[in-house]
Amino acid sequence: MAVPKCKVSKARRDKRRGSNWKLSAPGVTTCPKCGELCLPHRACKACGYYNGRQVISVKAE
């Protein structure tokens, strides 16, 4: 079995482990119909439109 030659401190260990677990922010676009921010390739939650046609019925305020 492999045996470590010397102790690895908690700070060094956590620096190595923490660099791979960062989350990236999702890319958001503006809806061409209403201008709200929405995720790409998904129907807009504000107006219900996707690809120029309404696919979700949204209640009017």
Side-chain angles (χ1 to χ4, degrees):
M1 276 181 76
V3 178
K5 284 211 180 252
C6 55
K7 179 181 178 177
V8 176
S9 69
K10 292 173 200 150
R12 184 178 287 267
R13 176 199 67 200
D14 293 343
K15 270 192 273 187
R16 183 181 67 243
R17 289 182 182 172
S19 64
N20 304 326
W21 292 96
K22 291 186 179 132
L23 292 174
S24 59
V28 291
T29 58
T30 56
C31 175
K33 181 82 176 168
C34 65
E36 286 280 329
L37 291 176
C38 61
L39 292 172
H41 306 288
R42 286 164 181 82
C44 179
K45 291 181 180 178
C47 64
Y49 274 76
Y50 177 71
N51 203 13
R53 58 197 165 116
Q54 190 164 9
V55 292
I56 300 172
S57 59
V58 180
K59 292 180 182 178
E61 292 181 2

